[in-house]
Amino acid sequence: MPTVTIPAALRPQVDGLSEITVAGASVGELLLKLKDQYPAFGAKLYKADGALNRFVNVYVNNEDIRFMDDLDTQVTDRDEVAIIPAIAGG
Amino acid sequence: MAITPHTIDQSTLPPELARYHRQMLLPGFGIEGQKKLMSSTALVVGCGALGTVIVNMLARAGVGHIVVVDRDFIEMTNLQRQILFDEQDVKDAIPKAEAAKRKIAQINSQVKVTAIVDDVNHTNIEKLAGIGNDAYGKVDIIVDGVDNFETRYIANDCAVKHGIPYVYGGSVGTVGAAYAILPHTAPLGTGETVWEKAGLATPCLRCIYEQAPPPGVNPTCDTAGVIGPAVSIVSNYQVAEALKILTGNLDRLSRTMLSFDLWENTFRQLKVQKAYDVAECVCCKGRQFEFLDGMFGSSTTTLCGRNAVQITPKAGEKAQMNFDEIATRLRGMGTVTANKFMLRADIVDQGNPYELTVFSDGRAIVRGTKEANVARSVYAKYIGG
């Protein structure tokens, strides 16, 4: 199953996990499963209309899904999906 | 004329160049690159954890003129990671920009530092970048050392509008990100900047992150903490990119965004270059500078992890504060200290203690609340509206 990397900012919403292995054929499927499993995580990731929040980017093997097929981007067991939010501190 | 870097003989160099011998040995650097650095002006926005490293390294490398802007003063908890400051600065209540200038004078007296103690906002960023500024011309680069996205978008807008390279960096906890931007100033293929002509323009910050994380979504310094190495990696990476830009090595810039988490041992090079084609960016494609135009500007800012609110007078309302007068007025209410940069007063208002710090331009930081209204009220009561 593909692995989803959870950023530090969102780990409190997923029981502190930094990586979660989840079954699914597309990025959208993976994230919806995580949303169902961790509703508080979903609330941070998605806008009310079901789209992803725009201060969060999702990468598959370091490529932004917006430049591929967005949430329909297909993933295999060997792919690494990373959620990376904008980093504001400094 | 091309210079073969590794043949530079230190003994033949004039003293003002000799100190830079080691970096001049690098391919693509040389005496020529060093001279470019020495005639460059860099705007460093923010002089905290990122900014102190950036100013320090740019000055040591010999960037001729560094304009450093920061609104804040130094606290003991800054010293863990803000490398230009020391305990004496805390005791003396020196503003960060001014303390940085004093340290740089000792580190590299060849470098001119312009220290500006001010908030960076949409009303002043262009002037700080040298646009319509009598004191200096358009800066060669903007390097980001700020702690919030609003100011970053303001800097990004300014960079895109005026064709100034901009190096983003951000860090909190054990994570960090950095990315150098060579902005598009015109539709693809028509821009007049060196980098557009060379086909090297990059997506801007808003291409990559359309919106800032709203307050409360991301961890702040107080919820997540921060370690020195995280900010140090980000800021030194920013400086490396800045040196490439200022020496004219634009083709050596990273085309990816660095993103890492030291606690998870992950280092990524995020591929961001397609963002310009895909994102329909309102800023660099649309040429709408929403942050620069003040559409999203605010005059109060809740400060990260400080239980404090900053109040910035609107443009045109800035006045030189008379500290003697204010000190006299406040002395009966609590401890008041002042120097030429700022006045600080401990005040109890409606049973709640506040620390009020007022800067000479009328800007203030009210500590003891995260509520803008409360801060405005304290400001209005004790300083005046």
Side-chain angles (χ1 to χ4, degrees):
Chain A
M1 290 190 285
T3 301
V4 180
T5 301
I6 310 295
L10 297 179
R11 279 174 215 152
Q13 282 76 45
V14 294
D15 301 333
L17 297 170
S18 60
E19 284 183 354
I20 303 173
T21 304
V22 55
S26 71
V27 172
E29 272 182 44
L30 301 182
L31 296 183
L32 282 176
K33 278 191 186 162
L34 289 179
K35 182 188 171 190
D36 289 343
Q37 203 174 341
Y38 305 100
F41 171 78
K44 293 225 172 189
L45 201 59
Y46 287 94
K47 292 190 279 196
D49 66 3
L52 288 177
N53 269 316
R54 284 295 20 146
F55 52 87
V56 174
N57 286 349
V58 180
Y59 296 83
V60 175
N61 305 328
N62 295 336
E63 186 84 60
D64 194 325
I65 60 168
R66 289 184 295 164
F67 316 145
M68 296 185 282
D69 295 323
D70 217 336
L71 290 171
D72 296 328
T73 303
Q74 298 296 299
V75 287
T76 67
D77 289 2
R78 290 162 61 188
D79 289 322
E80 192 234 15
V81 180
I83 300 165
I84 302 189
I87 307 292
Chain B
M1 185 185 74
I3 290 162
T4 310
H6 57 269
T7 59
I8 298 171
D9 179 354
Q10 194 175 344
S11 64
T12 65
L13 291 168
E16 72 273 14
L17 278 175
R19 65 185 291 158
Y20 306 115
H21 177 255
R22 299 300 185 273
Q23 70 191 26
M24 289 193 296
L25 294 176
L26 295 177
F29 212 111
I31 294 172
E32 217 175 314
Q34 187 60 45
K35 286 184 173 168
K36 283 183 189 163
L37 276 191
M38 292 163 83
S39 60
S40 297
T41 299
L43 170 61
V44 181
V45 186
C47 193
L50 298 173
T52 49
V53 175
I54 293 163
V55 171
N56 180 38
M57 294 307 285
L58 289 179
R60 287 178 191 273
V63 171
H65 182 199
I66 299 171
V67 181
V68 57
V69 196
D70 193 286
R71 63 190 176 196
D72 220 340
F73 49 89
I74 304 160
E75 295 178 82
M76 205 55 102
T77 53
N78 297 153
L79 302 186
Q80 160 250 13
R81 64 197 182 284
Q82 301 188 13
I83 62 161
L84 276 182
F85 308 139
D86 58 41
E87 294 179 4
Q88 194 60 43
D89 297 326
V90 179
K91 283 182 195 144
D92 295 344
I94 306 293
K96 290 182 175 180
E98 182 63 28
K101 178 181 173 153
R102 293 180 189 185
K103 294 286 155 52
I104 296 308
Q106 294 176 310
I107 292 165
N108 189 348
S109 58
Q110 287 178 199
V111 173
K112 178 185 172 191
V113 177
T114 300
I116 297 170
V117 183
D118 201 352
D119 187 39
V120 175
N121 55 51
H122 73 98
T123 69
N124 64 2
I125 182 76
E126 288 174 295
K127 191 176 176 198
L128 292 169
I131 311 293
N133 187 334
D134 295 337
Y136 52 91
K138 185 168 98 173
V139 300
D140 299 292
I141 195 167
I142 301 173
V143 193
D144 166 0
V146 305
D147 62 359
N148 66 86
F149 251 85
E150 187 179 313
T151 312
R152 288 196 173 95
Y153 284 141
I154 290 168
N156 183 72
D157 270 5
C158 178
V160 172
K161 182 177 173 185
H162 297 289
I164 304 168
Y166 165 55
V167 188
Y168 157 72
S171 182
V172 63
T174 60
V175 305
Y179 168 60
I181 295 162
L182 299 174
H184 288 271
T185 64
L188 200 59
T190 64
E192 289 296 311
T193 59
V194 176
W195 52 89
E196 284 169 292
K197 285 181 176 169
L200 293 171
T202 69
C204 79
L205 193 60
R206 283 198 81 189
C207 294
I208 296 168
Y209 289 110
E210 287 172 36
Q211 286 170 9
V217 168
N218 272 356
T220 62
C221 330
D222 59 336
T223 58
V226 60
I227 55 168
V231 284
S232 203
I233 289 169
V234 169
S235 46
N236 276 303
Y237 181 92
Q238 288 176 277
V239 171
E241 296 301 89
L243 293 180
K244 293 176 195 172
I245 291 169
L246 294 176
T247 56
N249 284 287
L250 299 182
D251 55 343
R252 291 180 189 272
L253 278 181
S254 171
R255 308 289 292 172
T256 59
M257 178 183 280
L258 172 69
S259 171
F260 65 82
D261 185 339
L262 295 178
W263 242 227
E264 299 295 328
N265 303 311
T266 54
F267 275 81
R268 300 170 196 282
Q269 299 284 347
L270 302 174
K271 298 166 193 165
V272 294
Q273 289 303 316
K274 287 180 193 160
Y276 179 78
D277 306 319
V278 176
E280 295 305 331
C281 175
V282 65
C283 174
C284 72
K285 250 187 187 171
R287 311 307 297 173
Q288 291 175 46
F289 306 111
E290 297 173 330
F291 284 87
L292 202 52
D293 292 342
M295 288 172 65
F296 305 122
S298 63
S299 55
T300 59
T301 315
T302 303
L303 301 179
C304 173
R306 296 266 303 276
N307 191 29
V309 176
Q310 172 176 260
I311 299 172
T312 311
K314 285 204 177 72
E317 288 180 8
K318 289 195 177 182
Q320 279 299 113
M321 302 301 282
N322 185 330
F323 286 156
D324 290 342
E325 220 175 81
I326 299 169
T328 310
R329 208 159 65 212
L330 296 180
R331 212 145 260 148
M333 299 171 193
T335 316
V336 182
T337 53
N339 59 25
K340 67 174 176 171
F341 306 109
M342 64 184 213
L343 173 144
R344 187 179 291 168
D346 292 300
I347 287 165
V348 177
D349 182 69
Q350 300 183 329
N352 300 310
Y354 300 101
E355 182 193 84
L356 180 59
T357 306
V358 188
F359 295 83
S360 55
D361 58 3
R363 192 169 49 83
I365 292 170
V366 180
R367 181 185 300 218
T369 182
K370 287 177 181 165
E371 301 297 325
N373 308 343
V374 175
R376 280 183 203 278
S377 158
V378 170
Y379 184 90
K381 274 184 199 170
Y382 298 102
I383 302 302

